Amino acid sequence: MEQYRTRPVVHPQRQQPGGPAAGDAAAAHAGAGVPAQSGGRPGAPVAGRRLPRPKLTGLGGGLFGCVTMLLAGGIVWLLFGSSLFVYGLLFLPVAAATALWVRPADLITAPISAPLAFAAGVWPIAGGSGGFGGQLMGVVSALSLHAGWLYAGTLVAALIALVRKAALIGKRPKARR
């Protein structure tokens, strides 16, 4: 039966200058309460709190956008009297956040999930009446009359995904000859 390693292997080439030696576990634990410095340089200012960087899957990004816009639609219905202008303004940062938080392998899903999220959230403020058919017609009317917001949010998500993809391609190491 094989026995797996329980401690990480320390490579001397990857060790940062000024860090604890491989066998100096006491020194590594002694500085556990000290905040890390930015850039690993001595004397650099201590980095403040940063925003979290969640990595959503394609499905997770779509669900995040749909749930967030459904909540935004409910809030707009309660506080702003079903104003589609306010709803459109709230849609733009949600589309941007979805494109920023989706993982790199699923970047293509960001511009696809943005219109779905807009359509899911417009239901509470669509203003249809008369049962399911009336509600459906209200949603279709709201989507057609406010397509500018829909296109703007989709464009924001697509541009962010495109820039992120270009940055990933630029980081790739070039093939050695």
Side-chain angles (χ1 to χ4, degrees):
M1 180 171 203
E2 292 183 44
Q3 188 172 16
Y4 297 102
R5 286 187 194 265
T6 57
R7 285 183 259 155
V9 178
V10 178
H11 298 284
Q13 298 90 359
R14 295 184 189 168
Q15 188 176 6
Q16 292 186 1
D24 198 5
H29 291 295
V34 179
Q37 295 179 345
S38 64
R41 294 174 286 149
V46 176
R49 287 186 61 100
R50 294 181 355 173
L51 290 174
R53 301 216 11 117
K55 296 295 180 191
L56 300 172
T57 62
L59 180 62
L63 287 174
F64 166 76
C66 288
V67 168
T68 306
M69 288 313 298
L70 193 59
L71 289 173
I75 290 170
V76 167
W77 176 71
L78 285 173
L79 300 178
F80 298 102
S82 299
S83 171
L84 281 166
F85 177 76
V86 175
Y87 179 75
L89 284 177
L90 292 174
F91 173 62
L92 296 178
V94 169
T98 303
L100 286 171
W101 288 348
V102 75
R103 66 184 185 172
D106 296 327
L107 278 173
I108 192 66
T109 62
I112 296 168
S113 64
L116 296 174
F118 188 88
V122 82
W123 171 72
I125 58 175
S129 62
F132 179 73
Q135 286 289 333
L136 184 63
M137 287 307 296
V139 168
V140 170
S141 297
L143 288 174
S144 64
L145 292 174
H146 298 282
W149 291 111
L150 180 63
Y151 292 148
T154 306
L155 182 63
V156 164
L159 287 176
I160 290 172
L162 185 67
V163 168
R164 284 186 61 200
K165 187 65 173 180
L168 287 172
I169 291 172
K171 282 184 183 178
R172 255 188 228 161
K174 297 184 180 184
R176 296 181 187 174
R177 293 180 189 207

